[in-house]
Amino acid sequence: MSFYTSLSGLQAAQTEMSTISHNLANVSTNGFKKSRTDFADVIASSIATDPTKLIGSGTVVKANRQLFTEGNLKSTGSALDLAISGDGFFTVKTSGISASTAYTRNGSFQVDPTSHYVVDAQGSALQVYPVDAEGNVTATGSDGLINLKLPETSGVPVATTKVALDVNLSANATAPTAAFDRTNAATYNNSTATTIYDASGNAMTLTNYYVRNSATSAGGSDSWSVYSYVGNQQLSVNGSSNPVTVSFDSAGAMTSPTAPISYDAFTPPSGGTTQSLTFDLAGTTQAPSAFSVEARSQDGKSVGQLAGVTVDESGVVTANFSNGDTTALGKVALANFANPSGLRQLGNSYWSASGVSGQATLGSANDNGFGSLQSGTIEGSNVDITEELVALIAAQRNFQANSKALDTANQISQTIFNLQR
């Protein structure tokens, strides 16, 4: 009997060493949760047996219990690296023909270059709740979950029709002596470049050249000539390519033009539809200080290219675009369970629900029963190397002790067999 008792101890110790070895092997696995081997003693008895004379029959492995304590949080700086501080799991939809829902604490997500879905290293799509423009959830429950996808572009192109530019022209500037030539900087005093857009959203450059006129009118008034070009094409007014004259009184206030300048329709450098443009200099002044641009605006718009992604503390994912647009894409869905230790391990830091764990309860970060969400952070393994090595030594000693007991039982058996001879 002692032979089988020692053998059960050997098997139990070997199981514990396997569990500890698995923990140590995943010390650097993001989102990994260590396990602990629990044992129970075995007693063979009947109702007629004197309880003071019972002898144990060894041990059995009762359970390999998963421990869902929080791992170390590591800052990465990547907006799509997410970590849950507290209770909860990320919900992902696995890829492939047999796609299913899985749960993970590994929040290392990235953008799939082909589909533009936000996925993990296994290609499983992060699940989010759909939201409106203000980030309010518009659907709940497991049927309301969607794959998080980042759009490549945002908005529709709008051709520029109005440009407003307020500049200060230096009263101390001297008039150039040579005729205006945009390729010769000595023939003009200052210039400005403003980005505008055609009907397809293509960027163009509106360049304005400011030339101080030599003549000063009676009363101390002064004037400047303004030449305007889109690309290499000079803009005209009423069919004339002459520059626009901007006049100032002796106090430096602009006296003309009194209304925005309306240029004739022109063809954009990219071709296509002609467009008209007005140029407003209403806030332009002439002062002794240096030339400066005080304000600039235009009403055109290009198609926005995806420039970045942010995830706030509540889990709302927002895409930012090059044209200034921002779009709320979804709210990260979290799951929790009545008994997380009962989750079925699938590998790759995945778990699935089981009858022991109970069905998933879905919610969002900071809701009751769910932890907070941190962007730019990843949760590492919760394995403590020192603790595991100490446990491994104890398991090894346990194995050696049971091995010694087994060897002793074997020697006793051999002695008994020899007595029969």
Side-chain angles (χ1 to χ4, degrees), residues 149-421:
K149 185 175 184 179
L150 302 186
E152 296 182 74
T153 60
S154 174
V156 295
V158 177
T160 300
T161 60
K162 299 177 181 178
V163 175
L165 190 62
D166 298 342
V167 300
N168 176 66
L169 299 171
S170 177
N172 297 328
T174 57
T177 56
F180 171 74
D181 179 359
R182 66 189 297 248
T183 63
N184 183 0
T187 63
Y188 56 88
N189 297 90
N190 306 102
S191 64
T192 57
T194 305
T195 301
I196 61 175
Y197 301 94
D198 64 15
S200 299
N202 297 312
M204 306 177 289
T205 300
L206 169 65
T207 307
N208 296 295
Y209 301 91
Y210 305 88
V211 182
R212 185 168 190 175
N213 298 327
S214 57
T216 301
S217 304
S221 62
D222 207 347
S223 66
W224 293 68
S225 294
V226 180
Y227 297 84
S228 299
Y229 287 78
V230 172
N232 294 323
Q233 179 181 181
Q234 184 177 3
L235 301 184
S236 61
V237 178
N238 297 325
S240 172
S241 59
N242 292 330
V244 173
T245 301
V246 180
S247 300
F248 300 90
D249 62 20
S250 58
M254 190 173 72
T255 56
S256 68
T258 57
I261 304 163
S262 296
Y263 292 113
D264 298 333
F266 65 95
T267 301
S270 59
T273 307
T274 60
Q275 64 188 90
S276 300
L277 190 66
T278 62
F279 186 45
D280 191 353
L281 289 167
T284 296
T285 58
Q286 179 180 267
S289 56
F291 174 86
S292 61
V293 176
E294 304 299 330
R296 189 199 321 258
S297 65
Q298 60 88 33
D299 61 354
K301 194 175 183 181
S302 66
V303 175
Q305 302 296 320
L306 183 65
V309 179
T310 59
V311 183
D312 66 16
E313 293 180 353
S314 66
V316 175
V317 184
T318 303
N320 305 304
F321 298 89
S322 58
N323 62 352
D325 287 351
T326 58
T327 304
L329 304 178
K331 190 172 187 178
V332 176
L334 300 184
N336 206 356
F337 299 86
N339 178 29
S341 295
L343 289 170
R344 187 182 305 279
Q345 297 184 67
L346 303 177
N348 293 319
S349 296
Y350 283 172
W351 289 271
S352 65
S354 70
V356 180
S357 68
Q359 293 302 307
T361 300
L362 297 176
S364 303
N366 299 320
D367 288 349
N368 186 28
F370 297 91
S372 60
L373 195 65
Q374 298 183 33
S375 176
T377 306
I378 289 181
E379 180 185 3
S381 170
N382 68 345
V383 175
D384 185 314
I385 294 180
T386 303
E387 180 182 344
E388 297 300 316
L389 290 177
V390 171
L392 185 61
I393 293 172
Q396 182 185 18
R397 293 288 184 265
N398 185 16
F399 185 91
Q400 290 173 336
N402 282 279
S403 176
K404 184 64 175 177
L406 186 63
D407 182 59
T408 301
N410 181 57
Q411 291 179 11
I412 293 174
S413 298
Q414 290 295 328
T415 301
I416 294 173
F417 293 152
N418 292 332
L419 287 174
Q420 295 176 350
R421 296 177 185 176

Side-chain angles (χ1 to χ4, degrees), residues 62-214:
K62 195 68 175 178
N64 275 323
R65 189 173 304 278
Q66 300 175 82
L67 304 179
F68 285 90
T69 56
E70 188 174 303
N72 294 327
L73 300 183
K74 301 177 290 186
S75 179
T76 66
S78 174
L80 290 178
D81 283 340
L82 306 176
I84 303 170
S85 180
D87 296 332
F89 297 81
F90 296 109
T91 304
V92 296
K93 184 73 70 174
T94 60
S95 58
I97 298 176
S98 58
S100 60
T101 300
Y103 308 96
T104 181
R105 292 280 295 196
N106 184 357
S108 178
F109 296 104
Q110 57 193 349
V111 182
D112 183 272
T114 303
S115 65
H116 301 287
Y117 286 109
V118 175
V119 298
D120 61 13
Q122 285 68 245
S124 301
L126 177 63
Q127 300 295 285
V128 297
Y129 292 116
V131 295
D132 59 19
E134 284 73 39
N136 301 311
V137 173
T138 58
T140 57
S142 58
D143 290 337
L145 297 179
I146 60 173
N147 297 343
L148 177 59
K149 185 175 184 179
L150 302 186
E152 296 182 74
T153 60
S154 174
V156 295
V158 177
T160 300
T161 60
K162 299 177 181 178
V163 175
L165 190 62
D166 298 342
V167 300
N168 176 66
L169 299 171
S170 177
N172 297 328
T174 57
T177 56
F180 171 74
D181 179 359
R182 66 189 297 248
T183 63
N184 183 0
T187 63
Y188 56 88
N189 297 90
N190 306 102
S191 64
T192 57
T194 305
T195 301
I196 61 175
Y197 301 94
D198 64 15
S200 299
N202 297 312
M204 306 177 289
T205 300
L206 169 65
T207 307
N208 296 295
Y209 301 91
Y210 305 88
V211 182
R212 185 168 190 175
N213 298 327
S214 57

